[in-house]
Amino acid sequence: MGFLTYPAKGMLRGQRGLNLVDYLLNLGPDSKLRAENLYFFRRTERRRRGFQRYSTEDWSGYIWRGGHEFLDDAGNARLLVFRDNGQLIEIQDGTTSAAVLTGLAANREAYFATAFGSTFMVDSDDALRRLDATSNPLTACTGRVAGVPVPPSLVVTAGTAGGQTGDYLYTATAVIESGGVKLLESDWSDLFSLTLANTKQSGTVTPGAVDTRVTHFYVYRTDAGGAQPKYMTKVTAGAPTFTNENVADTALGAFAPTRLRNIPPPSAPELIAAAGSRLFLAKGRTLYASPRALNAYDCEAFPYEIEIPGAGSIKALCPVPNPGGTPGTNSLLVGLESSCYVL
C-alpha cells in the first residue's frame, strides 16, 4: 500500500489508493516519490532488496502516522509523511527528504486536507497547521500554525485639544500582514465607548494571546453617534499604542470586517476535511466550519459550530460526490460512533 494516488492513464485506482507493492511500473510521471525502492511493512517504510542504489536514506527506524500527497499551485506532486516522533517530512525523491515541521506531539495520527492549493494538518494534540509549497519544486513545503489570531483588547482615552466631538465606539483587531497586504485578521475586541469634546484620542492595544505571527493591530472607530466602526489607524505589534490621533469622521476608512466571522480554530482539532469550498474540523461531537471560501486564507477562520446529534464522538470526516450538483462540488460525510450524516 502507499500514499500515492496518481496512477498512469487507464489504471483503475482502488478506494484507498494504488497498490505500489504490486504495481510499481504503473506509477504516473507526476508521482512525487520515486517509490520503486520502497515498500511498507508493519507501518514502516523499508527499502526494497535490489533497489538500494536508488536511496541514500534509511527510514526503517520510524513508523508513519499519516501521509498525504497533493499537487501544489504549480502542478508539482508533493508527498508528506508524519513520523511517530512528531516530525512532518516531505519526501522529495528516492534520495532526499526535508523536515517541514518538528517538535509536534509523538505517537499521534495525522490527518490532512488540501484546499485552494494549501494543505492543512491536524494531529489531535497540536494546533491546526498550514503547509504551503514553495515556487521551487525541489524545495520543501513551509509549515506554520494556521488560524486567525485571538482578538486583542483596547483602551482609549481623550488626548490633547483639537480633535473630535461626540460619542464614539472603538474596537481593534490583530492582523497578520505580509508586504503590506492583510492576510488574516482577528475578530473584534470588545467595544470601547468614549465621549470627546474637541479632543483627539489616544489608545493602547493589548494582545489577547502571544502570537508571533501578528504584525499589526488595526483600530476602528465609529462616526460621532454611529454604530458601525470604520478603519482609523494601525499600530505595529511591537509598539501597540497610538497618541493624539486626529481623524475626522469623513476621513475614516473602510468598515471593519463582519463581526463574529474571523473566529480562531479550536485547539487540538482531531479530524479535518475540505468540502464544498469550506474547511471542516472535528473535535469530540462538534463540527467546526470555515466560511464559504475564495482562497486558502478564508479557510483559516471557523465561525460556525455544529453539534452533531448522536452518541459518541465524530470518528470520520470525508468529502463525497454531490450527484446532480454543480460540477466539482461535494458534500461532507460525518460519521459518529452511532450514526452518520451527509451535510
Side-chain angles (χ1 to χ4, degrees):
M1 64 176 291
F3 301 126
L4 294 175
T5 57
Y6 296 96
K9 291 182 178 179
M11 281 297 300
L12 293 176
R13 184 177 69 209
Q15 184 179 12
R16 297 191 176 277
L18 187 66
N19 185 338
L20 301 184
V21 173
D22 298 329
Y23 297 100
L24 293 175
L25 298 180
N26 291 321
L27 287 174
D30 57 347
S31 295
K32 178 62 178 177
L33 177 63
R34 304 298 183 261
E36 58 262 39
N37 63 314
L38 305 175
Y39 71 102
F40 288 86
F41 178 74
R42 294 180 180 177
R43 300 194 64 178
T44 302
E45 195 170 279
R46 304 290 181 88
R47 286 185 294 177
R48 191 181 303 278
R49 290 177 58 84
F51 287 92
Q52 288 89 341
R53 66 186 180 88
Y54 285 94
S55 176
T56 59
E57 293 192 69
D58 185 359
W59 293 288
S60 60
Y62 299 95
I63 295 175
W64 302 126
R65 294 292 186 180
H68 185 68
E69 181 176 301
F70 70 103
L71 295 179
D72 63 21
D73 291 336
N76 302 304
R78 293 178 177 269
L79 180 67
L80 302 170
V81 290
F82 189 54
R83 290 173 168 175
D84 59 343
N85 66 347
Q87 288 186 336
L88 180 67
I89 303 297
E90 180 176 348
I91 298 179
Q92 297 181 287
D93 55 37
T95 61
T96 58
S97 63
V100 178
L101 296 172
T102 60
L104 302 181
N107 298 313
R108 294 290 190 274
E109 301 292 330
Y111 300 94
F112 303 83
T114 296
F116 299 96
S118 296
T119 294
F120 297 85
M121 168 190 160
V122 300
D123 66 4
S124 78
D125 193 277
D126 299 288
L128 174 68
R129 304 284 173 152
R130 175 171 164 168
L131 313 165
D132 286 287
T134 63
S135 58
N136 183 353
L138 300 180
T139 303
C141 292
T142 60
R144 63 167 173 81
V145 173
V148 297
V150 173
S153 59
L154 173 67
V155 174
V156 184
T157 59
T160 59
Q164 286 71 52
T165 295
D167 296 325
Y168 295 92
L169 295 175
Y170 300 82
T171 188
T173 61
V175 174
I176 300 172
E177 281 190 1
S178 178
V181 177
K182 180 176 67 176
L183 302 180
L184 293 171
E185 184 170 12
S186 76
D187 194 18
W188 298 6
S189 68
D190 289 338
L191 290 170
F192 190 93
S193 61
L194 183 66
T195 299
L196 299 178
N198 293 316
T199 51
K200 303 174 184 178
Q201 55 252 290
S202 301
T204 299
V205 185
T206 302
V210 176
D211 190 339
T212 57
R213 303 174 303 152
V214 173
T215 59
H216 296 83
F217 297 103
Y218 284 20
V219 179
Y220 298 89
R221 193 199 77 200
T222 63
D223 298 333
Q228 180 63 44
K230 302 176 183 178
Y231 176 82
M232 184 182 79
T233 189
K234 70 176 178 180
V235 294
T236 62
T241 62
F242 57 94
T243 303
N244 291 325
E245 285 286 344
N246 188 19
V247 181
D249 291 354
T250 55
L252 294 173
F255 287 112
T258 304
R259 195 176 189 186
L260 302 179
R261 175 180 173 89
N262 298 335
I263 304 297
S267 61
E270 298 165 349
L271 294 171
I272 188 170
S277 300
R278 300 179 191 267
L279 198 63
F280 295 89
L281 301 175
K283 185 172 184 178
R285 210 170 70 236
T286 304
L287 185 68
Y288 300 84
S290 75
R292 189 173 295 278
L294 299 176
N295 54 62
Y297 293 109
D298 291 344
C299 290
E300 297 191 50
F302 292 87
Y304 307 112
E305 294 184 24
I306 307 170
E307 197 73 14
I308 304 298
S313 58
I314 299 174
K315 295 298 183 182
L317 288 181
C318 180
V320 293
N322 189 14
T326 303
T329 64
N330 47 32
S331 300
L332 181 71
L333 174 67
V334 183
L336 277 74
E337 297 176 60
S338 60
S339 53
C340 294
Y341 301 87
V342 176
L343 305 181

